[in-house]
Amino acid sequence: EAAADPEKHSNAIVKFVEEFDFDTLFPGIETTIIEAEALGCQIDRPEDSNPQIKEHAVKTKADVDKLEEAADADDLLSRGHYPQRFELFKLLLEKTGGQYAIIATPMQPLPVAVQVCGYTNIVKWMETDPFLVHRIVEATTKACIRAGLAYKELGVHGITSIAAWNSVPYFSPDQLWEFDTPYLARMIQALSPLPFIHYYWGLRLLGDDWKHFLVRQMSTGTFLMTNLEP
């Protein structure tokens, strides 16, 4: 209900932060499916649970052409729940009047690629047709940048990209370095000078090599948060 009504959603968020005295707002309801829906995924919205992807937009290699068309479409940011999302952040900025940092929460390119294709297809194509995966992540990068620039134009104070698929053990460090980091870096650069925070999970599974992985990620020129706890 809140996701469909930016007025109710923003009122709930503002009441929450005022009561608990936070200084930063990271709206989270429906955060993880906005891009995927706009790019053609079918979404199921149960009354008592979070939205779920019920049908991927890219089921075969032939569907990649349609994905690329969707990413370039003039009306991309009018599709799905993008309008409600942008209205939510507009209202949060108006209602808080600069008292709190408003942080937009777009997805980042590789996780969106996983969503539109499904994990099984992405992993298979990374091995059998890496060029195709680069096409897919290129398309999702364009879409993520367009959304990020729209948030920037609204006047948000920073970006934290939402991601869970860009983690070990879902992907190896080399796969993340090839299919995640270069595209994420482009998104960060496109939204500069906004502060940009991103995450990696599961790095403890790399053993002593986690330090090497994080050093490589410094090439993105951004803040990086991770959790090395078991």
Side-chain angles (χ1 to χ4, degrees):
E1 183 179 351
D5 188 333
E7 186 69 32
K8 289 183 179 179
H9 197 172
S10 59
N11 285 341
I13 292 171
V14 171
K15 183 177 180 179
F16 182 84
V17 296
E18 288 178 345
E19 181 172 349
F20 293 98
D21 195 29
F22 292 110
D23 56 8
T24 303
L25 303 185
F26 293 81
I29 297 176
E30 285 221 348
T31 294
T32 59
I33 50 84
I34 301 296
E35 288 82 3
E37 182 179 31
L39 289 171
C41 290
Q42 298 299 310
I43 307 298
D44 183 24
R45 290 184 168 84
E47 290 186 7
D48 58 351
S49 181
N50 292 324
Q52 302 291 328
I53 295 174
K54 66 179 181 181
E55 185 175 338
H56 300 293
V58 176
K59 296 183 282 294
T60 69
K61 293 182 180 182
D63 293 329
V64 176
D65 289 340
K66 295 178 182 178
L67 174 67
E68 292 171 329
E69 292 174 3
D72 289 330
D74 291 340
D75 67 344
L76 172 69
L77 300 184
S78 298
R79 297 181 179 184
H81 273 54
Y82 263 135
Q84 291 94 326
R85 199 71 181 168
F86 295 137
E87 180 65 15
L88 168 65
F89 280 92
K90 178 182 177 182
L91 290 171
L92 288 173
L93 288 162
E94 292 174 354
K95 292 178 180 182
T96 57
Q99 297 180 43
Y100 307 98
I102 309 299
I103 308 299
T105 51
M107 292 282 284
Q108 64 192 57
L110 178 61
V112 177
V114 175
Q115 289 180 317
V116 298
C117 299
Y119 178 71
T120 300
N121 275 340
I122 279 287
V123 171
K124 178 178 67 177
W125 292 337
M126 281 182 176
E127 294 296 323
T128 62
D129 196 345
F131 177 72
L132 182 76
V133 178
H134 280 293
R135 283 181 59 194
I136 293 166
V137 184
E138 176 67 28
T140 59
T141 300
K142 289 181 180 179
C144 290
I145 289 175
R146 291 179 63 182
L149 290 173
Y151 288 122
K152 182 179 179 180
E153 186 174 345
L154 285 175
V156 300
H157 304 113
I159 297 287
T160 182
S161 59
I162 303 300
W165 285 112
N166 64 327
S167 60
V168 179
Y170 296 124
F171 299 104
S172 71
D174 285 342
Q175 287 173 322
L176 292 173
W177 186 248
E178 179 176 357
F179 298 105
D180 180 71
T181 302
Y183 298 97
L184 174 60
R186 281 173 48 196
M187 184 178 179
I188 293 165
Q189 292 158 8
L191 302 184
S192 177
L194 281 181
F196 195 117
I197 301 172
H198 70 288
Y199 304 83
Y200 284 100
W201 309 113
L203 299 190
R204 64 180 179 80
L205 300 174
L206 300 180
D208 293 338
D209 199 42
W210 69 268
K211 295 179 183 179
H212 177 63
F213 180 84
L214 291 186
V215 168
R216 294 176 79 184
Q217 300 311 307
M218 290 173 63
S219 67
T220 61
T222 183
F223 299 102
L224 170 63
M225 297 182 66
T226 186
N227 182 2
L228 296 176
E229 293 298 321

